[in-house]
Amino acid sequence: MKHSLFALISLFCWLVVGCTPREVRYVIGVSQCSDDEWREQMNKEICREALFYPGVEVEILTAKDNNARQIADIESFIRQGVDLLIVSPNEADAITPVIEKAYDKGIPVVLVDRKIHSDKYTAYVGADNYEIGRHVGRYIAERLQGEGNLVEVTGLRGSTSALERHRGLKDALKATPGIKIIASADAAWLKESAEVAFDSILSRYPHIDMVFAHNDRMAIGAYNTAVKRHRQHDMLFVGIDALAGEGYGVEQVADGHLDATFIYPTGGDKVMEVAMNILRGKDYARETSLSTALVNKANARIMQMQTAHISQLDTKIEVLDKQLDTYLMRYSSQRMLLYACIVILILVAMLLFFVVRAFWTKNRLNEELSDQKKRLEEQRDQLISLSKQLEEATHAKLAFFTNVSHDFRTPLTLIADPVNQLVESNNLGENERFLLNIVQKNVTVLLRLINQILDFRKFENGKLDMTLSRFDIWEQIKDWTEAFRTLSYRKHIHFTVLADPSEEGYVMIADAEKMERITYNLLSNAFKFTPENGSIGVKLSQFNKDGACWLRYQVSDTGIGMSAEHVQHIFESFYQIDVHHAGSGIGLALVKAFVEMHGGTISVDSHKGKGAVFTIEMPMQQQGVPEEHVEKNVILKNLKEGALVSADQETIQTAPELVERDDKETVLVIDDNVDVRDYVKALLYGKYTVIEASNGQEGIQQAMKYVPDVVICDVMMPVMDGMECCRRLKSEVQTSHIPVMMLTAYTMDEQKVMGYECGADSYILKPFSARLLLVRLRNLIDNRRRLQSFFADKTSLRKEPIADLDKGFVEKLRTLIEEQLGNSELSVEDLGDKIGMSRVQLYRKAKALTGYSPNELLRIARLKKAASLLASTEKTVAEITYEVGFSSPSYFTKCYKDYFGESPTDFLKRKG
């Protein structure tokens, strides 16, 4: 049906176009030297005659007696590319070159009234000016009867018409020597100029019998001057043109102002006829002379009547022409309407045909659809079944993926830390140290790749989170890029790291770990694809966007570059440009994910063989940074000793033991890998009593039997895994108080949440360092005992070997916290004032005795109180929030979940 409609519309358009008369259009340019009444009459005749030639367009320009202007007019017609040029030259010498130029370019040129000093024109139409001059001379001789003084007022002396009229006059007067031309003046065809020139002549010649002017306008000007001097009756005035109309030559003769005038025909109709013969290729005369005649008082009135009649006829012709245009437009509209009606009728007929056809087709399709519906229902059931199978397969793949990463991390634990300890040994030779450095570097690379794969899984599952902190990105970039210096030296690559000067500096709030990964991946990509002796650059700058400060981070290289096709897909997962540069295919996809998490954008400008420029733009300040997180960074920066060590976003404090113990604590190590158990046992040897178990079930038995001070438990184990083991330990009265440290290769947050839900006190990721394990283990034991001392009954303080003064300080601090528990405005300064210490003194004293800052002790006390209220009252979470001194329910919920491993709402649901 669509094809049929298209065919009908095409047919309609063809009919419309085919039935429209196609006239050959001609553009004729007319350049008039002046704008006097004689040329206005000629222009009217040209335009009127053009009406009889459909498709002809006439454009008229006048030079107003200016040679430069007429030359410019003719040049514009040449550039326009008119089909024919009609010219009345102002002065022959000046206008001849430009007319020759038009003629040489193939444009036909018709001269009117005046000629040029060249034969390069197509045709001439006009009266014979020499003969007119002779006619005037003979009339003057006859009128003056062979005796008298004559004054000649000429046209522009440079025009051929003026020259020829003067020459004809002189030749005619040779037979009558009694007539003398006593004065001659050039009035340039203008009435005003003639008045001025003749006034001067009247002053010099008291006796003048006749004045001959080359046109009626100048004759009338001379007459007006004679009237002013009251000498108009002393002489006769003769002109040339004989135009009819008010104030023109014929009327002046009829009124007795002029003695006579000679018809100088405009010939506009004849000019148009010759022009069209030239354009249509018909025969034409190269020289067309127009006739002249004498007009005096005897025939002037008759001329006026004839001219008036002709004018009426011209007006009627113009009216008829307009009516004809109207009728033609109406005819064209009616014809179009007729064609439209025919097409509409055809379309209606076609539509009826298709409607009937569609009706029968619909019935047939309904039957087929009924059969297809049954088949589709069967396919739907099959798809549901396949979907369930696919979901199960996906879960199985994810489980396999997680298990493999765990299997990788376990041997990495047994490689990384022993290698680190060997590198720090002083008993190694240079070759052995070199080999160990290679092993150490590749272990780091392998761990980074495993983390990258796990992060990619988090990203796909929507579980990738940010840990924000305040840091100087420029200082960090300089540190991170140092790892590539050796590679740049080895490949002879010019490696630069620059930053634009900034008064505000480059301190930003972002996820520093992810920014480091972005830098590593982009530079790894750049070094991979940049050949030797190339260049790689890193540049930082800042700019404002929507009133905020943004970071622009660019990494450029002069490597192999990428085609437009590769650029479109470069940030897609597992996309690789070629097989010669192997990789995981997820590095740039992760970079894009990290950038978008920061609310930024990443783009690449690259061309084949010309390198690439990666541009990252992101806000300098990310939203949602916890206040206490920033404060903690400031505190840590000022600490010279006991710096915090990062381990999977958890912080631990390295500090010397506050209490010397004679007896060793007991540590239970539960792991199915004997090498891991032996390695941990070797680390703890001499400091702790170590008990071993190869699975969770055996570990519970050992814990029930020996009641250790702390348990180190692997997550993935046969018989009973670490999660279940931890849950069982925390549910038994004998073992519920024992801190449990989970060893795991899992990096996903949901795995940690599961562990904390089971009651785990700490997590440490494989591979781990020996120092990290020992410090974390020591802190778990000491912090648990300090908490027990601080929050137990007053009598429990006596069990700890603490001095009396310290016991008084702890007691006073505990009492103050309990009294001010509901005061949300309570600050460390307030506590220090009440105890009699400065803020710094209070912080150090509390930290040394309890392992916690005053703020942390206050928060823990509030959380304990809140937990008690949740368990024993029916108050809402909001009511308890403000009762225990938190400023907002959202912050209370976050702190509660961080401490107890579940939100208050989850606790209330579990409470039932």
Side-chain angles (χ1 to χ4, degrees):
M1 182 174 180
K2 290 182 180 178
H3 296 294
S4 302
L5 289 175
F6 177 76
L8 286 173
I9 293 172
S10 301
L11 176 62
F12 173 67
C13 295
W14 178 82
L15 287 172
V16 171
V17 175
C19 295
T20 301
R22 294 185 179 180
E23 294 288 346
V24 177
R25 294 189 59 84
Y26 296 110
V27 178
I28 298 176
V30 179
S31 174
Q32 291 285 13
C33 61
S34 181
D35 59 352
D36 56 71
E37 59 274 6
W38 187 86
R39 300 197 184 279
E40 289 179 1
Q41 181 64 28
M42 180 192 290
N43 293 341
K44 290 181 180 179
E45 293 172 355
I46 290 174
C47 294
R48 183 172 61 246
E49 189 69 17
L51 297 175
F52 296 97
Y53 301 98
V56 174
E57 179 182 339
V58 177
E59 184 178 349
I60 301 175
L61 298 176
T62 179
K64 296 184 180 295
D65 303 302
N66 186 297
N67 289 332
R69 184 168 178 176
Q70 188 167 33
I71 292 172
D73 291 344
I74 296 173
E75 290 281 5
S76 69
F77 283 136
I78 294 174
R79 290 193 300 269
Q80 185 179 344
V82 295
D83 298 289
L84 185 138
L85 194 60
I86 298 174
V87 183
S88 178
N90 189 48
E91 289 186 294
D93 290 337
I95 306 303
T96 296
V98 72
I99 292 179
E100 289 180 333
K101 178 180 178 182
Y103 184 83
D104 291 339
K105 286 183 174 293
I107 300 175
V109 179
V110 178
L111 299 179
V112 179
D113 174 34
R114 305 174 186 179
K115 292 186 178 180
I116 59 174
H117 298 322
S118 174
D119 290 334
K120 290 187 176 182
Y121 62 89
T122 308
Y124 169 78
V125 179
D128 190 333
N129 286 288
Y130 175 79
E131 286 300 322
I132 289 178
R134 284 174 57 85
H135 281 302
V136 172
R138 287 194 294 269
Y139 174 77
I140 292 172
E142 180 183 350
R143 190 80 169 87
L144 296 179
Q145 296 179 357
E147 294 288 341
N149 293 330
L150 178 66
V151 173
E152 182 182 15
V153 182
T154 69
L156 196 64
R157 293 191 185 278
S159 63
T160 59
S161 57
L163 295 172
E164 290 174 357
R165 289 176 186 181
H166 174 73
R167 187 164 53 86
L169 174 68
K170 295 282 287 185
D171 290 347
L173 293 178
K174 287 180 180 179
T176 55
I179 299 176
K180 298 180 180 180
I181 302 176
I182 61 174
S184 178
D186 181 357
W189 308 106
L190 302 175
K191 176 182 175 182
E192 293 78 8
S193 299
E195 290 176 349
V196 175
F198 191 62
D199 184 67
S200 175
I201 292 173
L202 286 175
S203 300
R204 290 184 283 118
Y205 298 98
H207 180 68
I208 299 173
D209 296 300
M210 182 172 281
V211 178
F212 166 50
H214 283 196
N215 66 10
D216 292 340
R217 283 198 299 173
M218 294 188 295
I220 294 169
Y223 174 79
N224 291 339
T225 302
V227 169
K228 292 178 181 179
R229 289 180 174 265
H230 305 290
R231 294 179 60 181
Q232 69 271 25
H233 300 298
D234 298 341
M235 62 196 76
L236 301 176
F237 296 88
V238 178
I240 296 176
D241 278 347
L243 288 178
E246 182 178 356
Y248 295 163
V250 174
E251 185 181 276
Q252 296 293 331
V253 172
D255 292 342
H257 299 160
L258 299 183
D259 182 66
T261 183
F262 285 82
I263 297 175
Y264 187 69
T266 53
D269 52 350
K270 190 63 178 178
V271 171
M272 195 65 194
E273 180 183 341
V274 172
M276 291 308 300
N277 287 338
I278 293 172
L279 290 174
R280 292 180 172 181
K282 296 182 179 181
D283 294 335
Y284 64 93
R286 191 168 190 267
E287 303 288 334
T288 302
S289 297
L290 303 178
S291 301
T292 185
L294 172 66
V295 178
N296 55 19
K297 197 157 186 172
N299 61 3
R301 295 296 179 189
I302 297 174
M303 286 283 296
Q304 284 182 308
M305 293 173 60
Q306 289 178 342
T307 302
H309 182 66
I310 292 172
S311 179
Q312 291 178 355
L313 293 177
D314 288 343
T315 303
K316 291 180 180 180
I317 290 174
E318 291 177 358
V319 172
L320 289 174
D321 180 68
K322 293 179 180 178
Q323 291 179 346
L324 181 60
D325 287 341
T326 302
Y327 293 146
L328 287 175
M329 289 293 295
R330 186 179 303 169
Y331 166 72
S332 177
S333 300
Q334 291 175 348
R335 183 179 60 182
M336 292 289 292
L337 180 61
L338 176 62
Y339 291 152
C341 292
I342 294 173
V343 171
I344 290 173
L345 289 174
I346 295 174
L347 289 175
V348 169
M350 295 283 294
L351 182 62
L352 289 174
F353 169 76
F354 286 120
V355 168
V356 174
R357 181 180 177 186
F359 175 76
W360 293 107
T361 303
K362 178 183 177 183
N363 291 337
R364 178 172 53 82
L365 290 176
N366 284 337
E367 295 177 359
E368 294 178 358
L369 287 174
S370 179
D371 296 336
Q372 290 180 1
K373 182 179 178 182
K374 296 179 181 178
R375 291 195 295 270
L376 287 174
E377 289 176 350
E378 296 175 357
Q379 293 176 359
R380 180 197 61 189
D381 296 337
Q382 294 176 359
L383 287 175
I384 292 174
S385 176
L386 289 174
S387 176
K388 292 181 179 178
Q389 295 177 13
L390 180 62
E391 184 177 359
E392 294 174 356
T394 300
H395 286 303
K397 290 179 181 179
L398 290 175
F400 171 77
F401 201 81
T402 304
N403 293 338
V404 167
S405 68
H406 179 271
D407 292 341
F408 282 156
R409 284 179 174 271
T410 297
L412 280 175
T413 300
L414 300 174
I415 296 174
D417 203 57
V419 168
N420 292 338
Q421 295 185 38
L422 287 175
V423 168
E424 294 174 359
S425 174
N426 296 324
N427 299 325
L428 293 176
E430 289 298 325
N431 186 53
E432 288 82 0
R433 189 176 299 279
F434 172 76
L435 295 176
L436 284 175
N437 285 332
I438 294 177
V439 174
Q440 186 181 44
K441 182 179 71 173
N442 283 277
V443 168
T444 303
V445 171
L446 182 58
L447 182 59
R448 183 182 288 112
L449 291 175
I450 291 175
N451 291 334
Q452 186 158 290
I453 294 173
L454 294 176
D455 280 346
F456 179 71
R457 296 304 302 172
K458 290 182 185 179
F459 169 67
E460 284 191 332
N461 295 331
K463 300 295 181 61
L464 194 60
D465 296 323
M466 290 201 302
T467 302
L468 301 180
S469 62
R470 187 187 304 274
F471 60 95
D472 190 323
I473 183 63
W474 170 231
E475 295 297 330
Q476 293 297 326
I477 288 291
K478 289 190 289 186
D479 290 342
W480 298 335
T481 53
E482 281 301 313
F484 292 88
R485 289 293 177 187
T486 303
L487 181 59
S488 67
Y489 297 148
R490 188 169 66 247
K491 294 186 69 176
H492 304 288
I493 290 176
H494 181 61
F495 183 34
T496 59
V497 182
L498 304 172
D500 288 348
S502 174
E503 295 181 358
E504 294 79 7
Y506 283 88
V507 176
M508 69 182 301
I509 295 177
D511 189 322
E513 189 264 341
K514 288 181 175 58
M515 293 299 296
E516 180 183 11
R517 299 275 288 282
I518 288 172
T519 303
Y520 177 83
N521 279 325
L522 290 180
L523 286 179
S524 296
N525 189 72
F527 277 95
K528 182 188 302 181
F529 293 103
T530 301
E532 291 191 357
N533 300 314
S535 298
I536 295 176
V538 176
K539 183 178 180 181
L540 297 182
S541 60
Q542 295 181 11
F543 65 98
N544 289 326
K545 181 178 180 182
D546 299 331
C549 183
W550 280 52
L551 173 72
R552 181 178 286 116
Y553 180 12
Q554 291 182 312
V555 176
S556 60
D557 64 71
T558 59
I560 62 174
M562 294 171 282
S563 64
E565 177 185 0
H566 290 311
V567 169
Q568 294 178 356
H569 305 285
I570 193 65
F571 294 113
E572 295 179 3
S573 306
F574 306 111
Y575 184 82
Q576 294 181 345
I577 295 179
D578 55 46
V579 297
H580 302 293
H581 299 85
S584 64
I586 62 175
L588 291 179
L590 264 182
V591 168
K592 184 174 186 292
F594 291 163
V595 171
E596 290 177 349
M597 289 177 69
H598 285 82
T601 61
I602 182 170
S603 60
V604 59
D605 181 15
S606 179
H607 300 281
K608 192 70 174 180
K610 296 183 179 180
V613 179
F614 287 84
T615 302
I616 295 173
E617 295 180 350
M618 65 173 62
M620 289 288 291
Q621 305 294 323
Q622 298 294 318
Q623 299 299 320
V625 179
E627 182 179 355
E628 64 273 13
H629 183 81
V630 178
E631 290 180 355
K632 182 179 291 185
N633 285 340
V634 175
I635 295 171
L636 294 178
K637 187 176 181 181
N638 294 328
L639 293 178
K640 295 181 179 179
E641 302 253 345
L644 300 187
V645 180
S646 172
D648 191 42
Q649 322 314 327
E650 295 183 29
T651 56
I652 61 172
Q653 179 191 6
T654 60
E657 294 186 17
L658 298 178
V659 181
E660 293 294 337
R661 302 178 185 277
D662 296 330
D663 54 334
K664 297 179 181 178
E665 289 88 355
T666 302
V667 179
L668 172 60
V669 180
I670 308 174
D671 198 304
D672 61 321
N673 190 309
V674 65
D675 292 332
V676 173
R677 295 200 308 271
D678 290 343
Y679 178 61
V680 173
K681 185 176 180 180
L683 293 176
L684 303 181
Y685 179 77
K687 301 176 183 177
Y688 301 92
T689 301
V690 180
I691 307 171
E692 299 181 52
S694 60
N695 56 64
Q697 184 173 347
E698 183 181 345
I700 292 174
Q701 295 174 355
Q702 295 285 65
M704 295 288 288
K705 180 178 181 181
Y706 295 103
V707 189
D709 293 282
V710 68
V711 174
I712 300 176
C713 183
D714 191 18
V715 174
M716 298 293 292
M717 294 183 296
V719 184
M720 180 185 293
D721 61 22
M723 299 292 185
E724 180 62 24
C725 177
C726 181
R727 185 182 297 108
R728 294 279 294 276
L729 288 173
K730 293 297 181 178
S731 63
E732 297 292 338
V733 177
Q734 297 91 327
T735 59
S736 60
H737 66 285
I738 302 175
V740 178
M741 178 191 297
M742 304 295 288
L743 288 181
T744 181
Y746 295 124
T747 61
M748 296 184 182
D749 290 341
E750 56 267 28
Q751 298 293 338
K752 296 180 183 179
V753 170
M754 290 175 58
Y756 286 126
E757 287 177 346
C758 295
D761 295 271
S762 180
Y763 258 99
I764 187 167
L765 290 178
K766 296 180 180 179
F768 54 85
S769 69
R771 182 166 174 262
L772 176 64
L773 178 67
L774 292 173
V775 172
R776 181 72 63 84
L777 186 63
R778 183 72 263 162
N779 284 347
L780 274 178
I781 297 173
D782 290 345
N783 289 342
R784 177 57 59 97
R785 291 184 176 179
R786 291 189 189 102
L787 273 178
Q788 289 173 350
S789 299
F790 185 75
F791 293 104
D793 294 336
K794 298 179 181 180
T795 56
S796 64
L797 290 173
R798 303 189 189 97
K799 300 178 181 179
E800 289 292 327
I802 302 178
D804 293 339
L805 289 176
D806 288 336
K807 284 193 292 183
F809 167 81
V810 172
E811 179 64 23
K812 188 173 183 179
L813 178 61
R814 184 172 70 86
T815 303
L816 281 173
I817 289 176
E818 289 177 352
E819 290 174 353
Q820 300 292 328
L821 202 61
N823 181 11
S824 61
E825 301 297 327
L826 182 64
S827 65
V828 178
E829 287 80 0
D830 295 335
L831 291 174
D833 290 341
K834 295 181 182 298
I835 294 179
M837 294 183 178
S838 67
R839 184 180 188 277
V840 176
Q841 289 173 334
L842 178 61
Y843 176 86
R844 291 178 177 175
K845 186 75 172 179
K847 196 75 172 178
L849 290 177
T850 67
Y852 293 92
S853 68
N855 273 336
E856 290 171 331
L857 291 172
L858 179 59
R859 183 166 60 249
I860 293 171
R862 285 171 171 167
L863 291 173
K864 291 281 188 178
K865 179 66 174 179
S868 176
L869 292 174
L870 285 172
S872 61
T873 66
E874 298 298 322
K875 294 182 179 180
T876 65
V877 174
E879 291 173 340
I880 293 175
T881 295
Y882 298 113
E883 183 174 340
V884 299
F886 281 91
S887 58
S888 69
S890 60
Y891 181 65
F892 164 70
T893 301
K894 178 183 179 302
C895 294
Y896 189 97
K897 187 173 182 179
D898 289 342
Y899 188 76
F900 292 104
E902 64 178 354
S903 67
T905 305
D906 294 337
F907 174 80
L908 292 175
K909 290 180 180 179
R910 183 163 55 81
K911 173 185 173 184

